[in-house]
Amino acid sequence: MKSVFEESAELVELPAVVVEQLSLSAVESSLCLGLMRGKPVEDIADDCGQPRELIRAYFHKLLMKTGTDNE
């Protein structure tokens, strides 16, 4: 049986239920996948073809959406 980490590494997109439940945009979905693969935000920005500052802003927004922002 595969671990959660192994399963996550094989994902090419997030499950639709996750995207719908969290109301994720395409950029947020790509950000989640990149983070699950252990990529730094800067590499995810390069992969998405988006400015790093924009991806950092989406990262903060994603933390707020998922309730993981402990500030």
Side-chain angles (χ1 to χ4, degrees):
M1 180 175 204
K2 292 182 182 179
S3 72
V4 172
F5 299 109
E6 291 169 327
E7 292 285 342
S8 297
E10 295 175 5
L11 287 176
V12 293
E13 63 182 30
L14 291 178
V17 68
V18 173
V19 174
E20 290 172 15
Q21 185 72 29
L22 295 174
S23 301
L24 298 177
S25 68
V27 174
E28 290 169 325
S29 180
S30 294
L31 177 58
C32 283
L33 280 173
L35 293 171
M36 288 170 36
R37 292 181 178 134
K39 289 186 173 186
V41 173
E42 290 77 16
D43 289 352
I44 297 167
D46 293 341
D47 292 347
C48 293
Q50 299 290 330
R52 292 176 181 183
E53 295 77 22
L54 178 64
I55 297 300
R56 285 188 190 109
Y58 272 107
F59 179 70
H60 181 70
K61 183 179 175 186
L62 187 61
L63 291 176
M64 298 297 287
K65 272 188 177 182
T66 59
T68 55
D69 185 9
N70 294 324
E71 294 183 326

